[in-house]
Amino acid sequence: MSKTKDAVLPVAVCACVALLPTFPFVLQGKTPAPVDHAHRFPPWNQPQPNYRWDILQMDAALEFLPWRDYMLETERSGEVPLWNPYTFLGVPFLANSQSAPLYPLHLLWAATPFSAEALLRFSAWFHLVVAGMGMYLFVRRLRGPPAGAMLAATSFQLSAFLVGWLELPSVLMTAAWIPWGLWAVLRVWEVGLRALPSMSAFGFMWLAGHAQIAAFGMMAAFLLLAWLVLFERGSGRSAAVLFGLVLGLSFAAPQVLPALEAGRTGHRASAPTNEGWTGYKAQ
């Protein structure tokens, strides 16, 4: 009974805490995408709102919501969404990392009748739960007490970083798996190859779509491994950890490799200019 309580209580707490910033989505049916702001732009050109807002939030309405809608439409027809015909004269879709069409949650969602708006609502709450549970397990693996692990989990869930990115799902989705990856590194270091399946967390991290945040997750994993090698006197299984990292990245390769190839000729491949920055600030 005690073991059951130890397993259920952290999940229940993380699930409830995740509702604090996401209750407008989960309980009130609102979508984490400011679609009403679209009328501030051409061809409508309505007045700007009289409250502070960030134009970056428009990515949720103009990119992520349409991407999720097209992804579900295509996958429900039994196709892999390689190409998006609705933007300009067509653009890569699978190779657009943040569209994340091969992310497991998205594939599962495509098997349901639920909408893209419902996916964004659920994803915001679900990935805060994932983030909290990953942090809880990581701290426990560091031999932290249950209360301390729970404090770390809920603090991470309600951190300004995660809550601030609720409307841009690829950042939250990717960051949520970083503590799981660090937990996996510790498991493989201590247990060896038997714990390799836990390294799939790195595959989920890369499939979630935000390559920059995933790169930060990999940096954190290598820093943790370096710390273990230096201060645990190499008593663990560093080769197994490195092998697990390669396996995790390989798991995500069907989505990551096309994105890397497309990135070589993408709009961010060119050097930034003062004119471009001035134009961006003017928005």
Side-chain angles (χ1 to χ4, degrees), residues 188-190 225-226 228-229 234-245:
V188 174
W189 173 267
E190 296 170 358
L225 178 59
L228 290 170
V229 170
S235 59
R237 300 166 175 85
S238 54
V241 172
L242 293 173
F243 181 59
L245 289 171

Side-chain angles (χ1 to χ4, degrees), residues 95-260:
N96 168 16
S97 177
Q98 295 193 64
S99 62
L102 301 184
Y103 186 60
L105 175 63
H106 293 168
L107 293 174
L108 290 172
W109 204 266
T112 75
F114 302 122
S115 66
E117 289 85 354
L119 171 58
L120 290 180
R121 295 180 199 122
F122 177 78
S123 180
W125 171 81
F126 174 74
H127 285 96
L128 282 183
V129 178
V130 169
M133 282 306 303
M135 185 61 72
Y136 177 85
L137 292 173
F138 176 50
V139 174
R140 291 291 288 142
R141 199 77 196 182
L142 289 171
R143 296 173 179 80
M150 201 71 262
L151 178 60
T154 54
S155 299
F156 186 47
Q157 286 182 289
L158 299 178
S159 64
F161 177 78
L162 292 188
V163 174
W165 287 104
L166 281 176
E167 293 187 2
L168 301 184
S170 65
V171 176
L172 171 62
M173 289 161 53
T174 306
W177 289 105
I178 292 178
W180 284 90
L182 301 180
W183 165 77
V185 168
L186 290 176
R187 283 202 71 217
V188 174
W189 173 267
E190 296 170 358
V191 178
L193 295 178
R194 289 188 291 115
L196 272 182
S198 62
M199 298 295 279
S200 61
F202 289 98
F204 294 142
M205 183 182 73
W206 282 102
L207 287 173
H210 203 289
Q212 179 185 3
I213 302 300
F216 293 156
M218 295 295 286
M219 293 177 195
F222 281 114
L223 288 172
L224 175 59
L225 178 59
W227 180 83
L228 290 170
V229 170
L230 290 173
F231 296 101
E232 297 292 330
R233 302 183 182 278
S235 59
R237 300 166 175 85
S238 54
V241 172
L242 293 173
F243 181 59
L245 289 171
V246 172
L247 282 182
L249 186 56
S250 300
F251 176 60
Q255 184 176 285
V256 173
L257 293 180
L260 292 176

